[in-house]
Amino acid sequence: MKVNFRKYRFWFISIPVLITLLMLLPVRNAKINPDLMEYFPDEIEAKLNIEKIEETFGKNDPVIIIFEAGDILNNNTLERIQKINSAFLKTQKFTDVISLFESKYIRGEEGMMLVDPVIIKIPENEREREDVRSEIRNNPLVYKLLVSEDFKYTLMLVNPMENLSDNEIFEIINKVLSDHKGTERILLSGLPFLRYEIQQKAIRDLLILLPSGLIIMILFLYLSFREMRGVLLPFSVVLMSMISSMGIMPLLHYDLSIIAVLIPIMMIAIANNYGVHIVARYQELNALYPDWDMNRIVSEVMSLLKMPLILTALTTIIGLLGLAAQIMVPAKQMGLVSSAGIGLALLLSLYFIPSVMTGLKKGRIRKTFKGHKESVIDHFLMWAGKMATEKPYAVITGFLLVLIFLGTGISRLHVSINLEKMMPASHPLRISTNIANTNFGGTKYISVLFEGDILDPDLMHTMDNFETNLKKLPEVGNVSSLATVIKTISRALHDPGDKYYDVIPENRDAIAQYIEFYNMSGDPDDFEKIVDFNYTKAILNVQFKANDIKEFNKVASYIKDLISNSEYCTLMAGQSLMEKEMSESIVRGQINSLIFAVFAIALLLWIIFRSLTAGLLGTIPLLFALVCNFGLMGWTGFDLDIATSLLSSIAIGIGVDYIIHFFWRFKYDLKNGNNYKTAVINTLTTTGRGISINAFSVIIGFSVLLFSGLTILKTFGLLIIFSLLVCLLCALLLVPAICMIFKPEFLQK
């Protein structure tokens, strides 16, 4: 049924504008949530285990401050660290401050055990400095934990109070550090710093990339159509879809995650697709039928394009809904919100754009449609038509060779487990992580919970055996627990060679007495992070490094084996296990979304063209693009992460549009009596132009991600551009070549 756009023009224009203005209101309430740990459902095991440990031992989410100097025992360096340490304590905003001036040195003196800070006073001469250096080397609670083996680095850990936001935390930290300047290089690390940097860079991306993307899109549309309606009509759809999508999120109580930043970029890239085809077909009919008035041209354009526009929007929406198969909550939200935005863009293209066009005068006739091929795209389409019709076997062979070469790279593909890789290589977080992995035993932590009578010698020996066995792994840098403290106390109370030296006592009372000795000289609260008040629960902390998930699984599996053989161990937890869960969910989500998207689109193509062949033929370019994309990632070293895992569903949803437009126009030309060769050339030089402009507008929309401050978004931008280029080449070369050889029957119906 044809719609009288002129008659209902006022409503088709005013209602979308009003809705857009209303959606601006909730956009003001949108907020960015950079906490990666909240991206996963509450019921996953790793998350529940962290909560169980935090119930007893409190939340431990420290900011790590690394000091680098020629010698960290230098007087000026120690004075600066001491001042910074004191400044943090004075703020009363941190539950813990751990440094050389807060950590303990347990030692024996004249038959007594003393517990003092590692540095009681700053050494005044070289002899005193070397004495302190020797004491640190003999202190297992500090050496290689807070001080590097070469004494070039030392750590300070500050654990903020739970009611502080990341912005407040780093406002305090930055002020303290700026108030106490020195020659030492200071680097920050830790999960709070990662969250803070994600938030800052996400805000920066929204403020810079969005306007840049819109400006680039305007320039591209003008260069493509050379008239203002070709710019303003698709652009208005982009703007309204983008505002509405961003408004939906706070209405549904969705926070802006690191990947939700992609939603407005996706609207810039995708929402103009349908308007681009309408303007391209309008220019074609305007040139072919110069005597037609605007109302007739618009009516004919919508008659020809309504169904393919609806179908291509449906396939894009299906691809995006494939994200609902992801485990990550923001990915599900992104799929739903983006789908709603694309649905709105379709409605605007079907009713808003033609309604506006009926009120405009006809534009000038483009030379392209009078036989003058004036652009690079036009020349390429003519060449593609010639290659597909005259050398189809050569085209298919060329594509197969590319597929084989890139496909072999899939075996080299890795899943990322290192969150710091979200940042550029020069970012302080990446540098500090490398320092920690090299000098402090690694940045991965796993805590093992022990339950029972913690002072029982058998349980204490089990802890000690855990430490001994885990330290044999090359990936493990440090293992610490109450057993470490007890053995340190034994070295302070006994002389080397004594049978009680550096061992766990065999008597419960002796262990309790060791702790009492400590409490007499030290602070009982020093133990609160490793054992509870009643001595019924204790944790053992494992620090290690892992470059990939294989190394991580090696350590985690070893810990699991030790736990399975102990009656005292109840669970293992840690942020790094959440990272592992994230990595595994990326793989599972990738597989689930791929299966959903490919089969759903194949089924839809089957239904649209009433042919199984259409479904199979339509998925060939998609599968080709996916294999090439993952292969390229393997060859170039790009990891599969929380952003690149979204690629498949998005690329499939967009890429299949090109195939549908090709099939639809190709059938139309065959129906009008053209042979296959003529139909291929006609399709590529007419609808192929709209497909190409569509594809390049999407590519240009995503290209702004190359300027993101976050590496994962840059990588996503590069790979989505590559995937869409492959889909475009498949639609313009591979599929026409296959059609020339096999002449599918469904195209002739």
Side-chain angles (χ1 to χ4, degrees):
M1 182 180 72
K2 288 189 177 182
V3 178
N4 190 330
F5 296 106
R6 189 183 293 273
K7 180 179 179 181
Y8 298 106
R9 183 166 59 198
F10 173 80
W11 297 109
F12 287 158
I13 295 174
S14 60
I15 291 176
V17 172
L18 179 62
I19 291 174
T20 303
L21 293 174
L22 290 174
M23 292 302 283
L24 281 170
L25 298 176
V27 168
R28 298 179 303 171
N29 298 322
K31 61 179 181 178
I32 294 176
N33 180 6
D35 190 349
L36 302 175
M37 299 305 114
E38 292 187 10
Y39 289 9
F40 295 88
D42 292 333
E43 63 271 13
I44 65 173
E45 183 181 6
K47 202 168 185 178
L48 292 172
N49 287 347
I50 288 177
E51 291 173 357
K52 288 178 182 177
I53 286 183
E54 288 180 349
E55 286 175 4
T56 303
F57 301 99
K59 189 171 184 179
N60 189 33
D61 194 10
V63 177
I64 301 170
I65 304 172
I66 299 178
F67 294 83
E68 179 185 4
D71 180 4
I72 56 95
L73 297 183
N74 176 280
N75 286 38
N76 292 334
T77 300
L78 288 177
E79 286 175 2
R80 186 184 184 195
I81 294 172
Q82 186 180 44
K83 289 176 182 178
I84 291 173
N85 184 97
S86 299
F88 283 134
L89 290 173
K90 286 179 182 178
T91 64
Q92 297 184 341
K93 298 293 185 181
F94 300 94
T95 58
D96 290 299
V97 177
I98 301 173
S99 73
L100 288 172
F101 293 91
E102 299 298 326
S103 295
K104 298 300 187 288
Y105 175 40
I106 304 172
R107 60 193 175 89
E109 188 174 295
E110 297 179 356
M112 297 179 60
M113 189 183 79
L114 301 177
V115 181
D116 295 315
V118 175
I119 297 180
I120 301 174
K121 69 182 187 69
I122 295 174
E124 297 179 356
N125 53 54
E126 188 63 27
R127 183 183 61 79
E128 290 182 1
R129 186 176 298 111
E130 290 308 311
D131 287 343
V132 171
R133 198 185 311 275
S134 177
E135 290 174 356
I136 289 174
R137 285 198 178 105
N138 292 320
N139 189 343
L141 303 178
V142 173
Y143 191 47
K144 298 182 185 179
L145 285 174
L146 286 183
V147 178
S148 64
E149 188 174 6
D150 58 7
F151 285 83
K152 288 184 178 180
Y153 303 96
T154 185
L155 303 183
M156 179 182 290
L157 288 79
V158 291
N159 199 33
M161 292 183 174
E162 291 190 37
N163 61 343
L164 288 180
S165 68
D166 289 333
N167 285 336
E168 291 171 324
I169 292 168
F170 287 96
E171 183 179 345
I172 296 170
I173 289 175
N174 290 332
K175 184 178 187 308
V176 168
L177 296 180
S178 65
D179 287 345
H180 301 89
K181 298 184 184 300
T183 58
E184 300 78 20
R185 181 166 72 149
I186 294 180
L187 296 166
L188 301 181
S189 187
L191 199 58
F193 185 52
L194 175 63
R195 292 196 303 264
Y196 176 75
E197 286 295 292
I198 287 174
Q199 183 176 27
Q200 298 304 308
K201 293 188 182 306
I203 292 172
R204 174 254 186 203
D205 284 355
L206 287 173
L207 293 177
I208 295 177
L209 298 188
L210 283 187
S212 301
L214 293 171
I215 292 170
I216 292 172
M217 184 59 61
I218 289 173
L219 292 174
F220 176 77
L221 291 172
Y222 182 76
L223 291 174
S224 299
F225 295 116
R226 304 289 177 143
E227 58 177 318
M228 289 310 297
R229 79 188 68 202
V231 175
L232 297 179
L233 292 176
F235 180 77
S236 62
V237 170
V238 167
L239 208 57
M240 287 190 279
S241 301
M242 184 174 66
I243 291 172
S244 298
S245 298
M246 297 302 288
I248 289 173
M249 296 199 69
L251 286 177
L252 296 176
H253 304 291
Y254 293 167
D255 290 336
L256 278 176
S257 64
I258 183 175
I259 56 177
V261 174
L262 290 171
I263 293 175
I265 302 296
M266 286 177 60
M267 291 303 107
I268 293 175
I270 304 172
N272 66 11
N273 289 1
Y274 317 112
V276 163
H277 281 284
I278 290 172
V279 174
R281 185 57 67 91
Y282 147 75
Q283 288 187 336
E284 179 186 350
L285 294 180
N286 188 34
L288 295 176
Y289 307 103
D291 56 324
W292 284 11
D293 62 21
M294 199 64 185
N295 198 45
R296 184 174 180 185
I297 290 176
V298 171
S299 180
E300 184 68 15
V301 166
M302 299 314 298
S303 176
L304 292 171
L305 290 182
K306 181 179 180 180
M307 190 53 66
L309 290 180
I310 292 173
L311 297 176
T312 52
L314 281 176
T315 54
T316 301
I317 289 171
I318 286 174
L320 292 172
L321 287 177
L323 296 176
Q326 293 269 1
I327 294 175
M328 287 188 297
V329 175
K332 295 176 184 286
Q333 295 173 350
M334 178 181 172
L336 295 173
V337 172
S338 299
S339 298
I342 297 302
L344 177 61
L346 172 66
L347 292 174
L348 291 170
S349 300
L350 293 178
Y351 298 100
F352 175 81
I353 288 181
S355 297
V356 174
M357 289 180 72
T358 56
L360 301 175
K361 294 180 180 180
K362 291 176 62 177
R364 67 181 181 86
I365 296 174
R366 292 291 308 275
K367 293 180 181 179
T368 297
F369 299 103
K370 288 297 183 180
H372 302 285
K373 305 304 175 188
E374 56 183 30
S375 70
V376 174
I377 290 177
D378 297 322
H379 287 291
F380 171 75
L381 293 173
M382 287 295 294
W383 173 83
K386 183 177 180 181
M387 288 295 296
T389 54
E390 296 179 6
K391 300 179 180 179
Y393 287 101
V395 169
I396 293 173
T397 301
F399 273 84
L400 285 175
L401 291 174
V402 172
L403 181 70
I404 292 170
F405 171 72
L406 288 178
T408 55
I410 293 178
S411 62
R412 303 162 62 94
L413 185 62
H414 294 288
V415 179
S416 175
I417 60 166
N418 296 306
L419 298 179
E420 69 275 1
K421 286 189 176 181
M422 295 181 178
M423 300 297 167
S426 59
H427 193 277
L429 185 65
R430 294 284 294 273
I431 298 172
S432 62
T433 300
N434 290 335
I435 291 172
N437 282 329
T438 304
N439 298 279
F440 294 103
T443 56
K444 306 294 182 189
Y445 292 87
I446 290 178
S447 297
V448 179
L449 179 64
F450 286 76
E451 294 191 72
D453 181 2
I454 302 302
L455 302 184
D456 182 350
D458 188 49
L459 189 151
M460 198 67 67
H461 279 299
T462 302
M463 273 190 182
D464 188 38
N465 289 334
F466 265 60
E467 292 189 31
T468 303
N469 288 315
L470 284 167
K471 285 179 179 178
K472 294 177 182 177
L473 296 179
E475 293 83 5
V476 174
N478 292 290
V479 187
S480 59
S481 67
L482 184 60
T484 311
V485 179
I486 296 299
K487 290 180 71 174
T488 303
I489 293 173
S490 75
R491 289 197 295 272
L493 293 175
H494 304 282
D495 296 325
D498 191 308
K499 67 177 182 178
Y500 299 114
Y501 181 83
D502 198 28
V503 296
I504 303 290
E506 297 297 333
N507 183 284
R508 185 188 187 282
D509 291 338
I511 295 174
Q513 192 174 34
Y514 276 15
I515 293 175
E516 188 60 33
F517 283 151
Y518 184 97
N519 292 341
M520 291 170 62
S521 181
D523 186 349
D525 291 342
D526 290 342
F527 294 153
E528 66 180 7
K529 291 296 182 182
I530 56 174
V531 65
D532 69 340
F533 179 76
N534 296 317
Y535 286 87
T536 58
K537 294 180 181 179
I539 55 174
L540 175 142
N541 295 309
V542 185
Q543 182 183 3
F544 62 101
K545 55 188 174 183
N547 294 316
D548 53 44
I549 198 165
K550 183 179 179 181
E551 290 182 356
F552 188 99
N553 284 336
K554 176 184 175 182
V555 177
S557 297
Y558 195 82
I559 295 173
K560 282 184 179 179
D561 289 341
L562 291 174
I563 290 174
S564 65
N565 293 319
S566 171
E567 61 181 296
Y568 304 111
C569 301
T570 54
L571 60 87
M572 55 190 279
Q575 299 288 1
S576 58
L577 288 170
M578 283 292 295
E579 294 173 28
K580 176 177 178 287
E581 182 69 33
M582 182 184 295
S583 301
E584 292 176 343
S585 70
I586 284 170
V587 176
R588 293 195 299 270
Q590 180 73 84
I591 294 171
N592 294 340
S593 59
L594 264 179
I595 292 173
F596 172 82
V598 170
F599 277 93
I601 285 174
L603 180 62
L604 185 60
L605 289 173
W606 185 358
I607 294 171
I608 291 170
F609 297 103
R610 300 178 185 178
S611 168
L612 176 60
T613 304
L616 296 175
L617 182 57
T619 55
I620 287 176
L622 305 180
L623 295 174
F624 182 91
L626 291 175
V627 171
C628 289
N629 178 69
F630 289 128
L632 179 68
M633 290 176 66
W635 283 118
T636 55
F638 291 141
D639 290 340
L640 193 62
D641 55 35
I642 63 174
T644 54
S645 67
L646 311 176
L647 270 169
S648 302
S649 295
I650 296 173
I652 286 174
I654 300 171
V656 75
D657 293 3
Y658 314 147
I659 308 299
I660 291 177
H661 280 293
F662 175 84
F663 283 165
W664 204 267
R665 181 57 184 257
F666 194 45
K667 283 172 62 69
Y668 175 82
D669 273 280
L670 288 176
K671 179 183 176 183
N672 288 341
N674 293 310
N675 60 31
Y676 264 77
K677 181 176 181 178
T678 304
V680 166
I681 293 174
N682 284 348
T683 298
L684 292 180
T685 54
T686 54
T687 296
R689 180 171 174 268
I691 292 172
S692 300
I693 294 174
N694 177 353
F696 283 109
S697 68
V698 174
I699 287 170
I700 286 175
F702 279 119
S703 67
V704 297
L705 291 173
L706 300 178
F707 303 98
S708 170
L710 293 166
T711 299
I712 60 168
L713 295 186
K714 283 185 179 180
T715 304
F716 176 88
L718 181 64
L719 292 173
I720 193 71
I721 288 171
F722 173 76
S723 298
L724 294 176
L725 279 173
V726 172
C727 287
L728 177 64
L729 291 174
C730 286
L732 300 180
L733 272 170
L734 180 60
V735 172
I738 293 174
C739 291
M740 284 298 301
I741 294 174
F742 296 102
K743 296 180 172 54
E745 190 176 327
F746 76 92
L747 292 172
Q748 303 174 56
K749 291 182 181 180

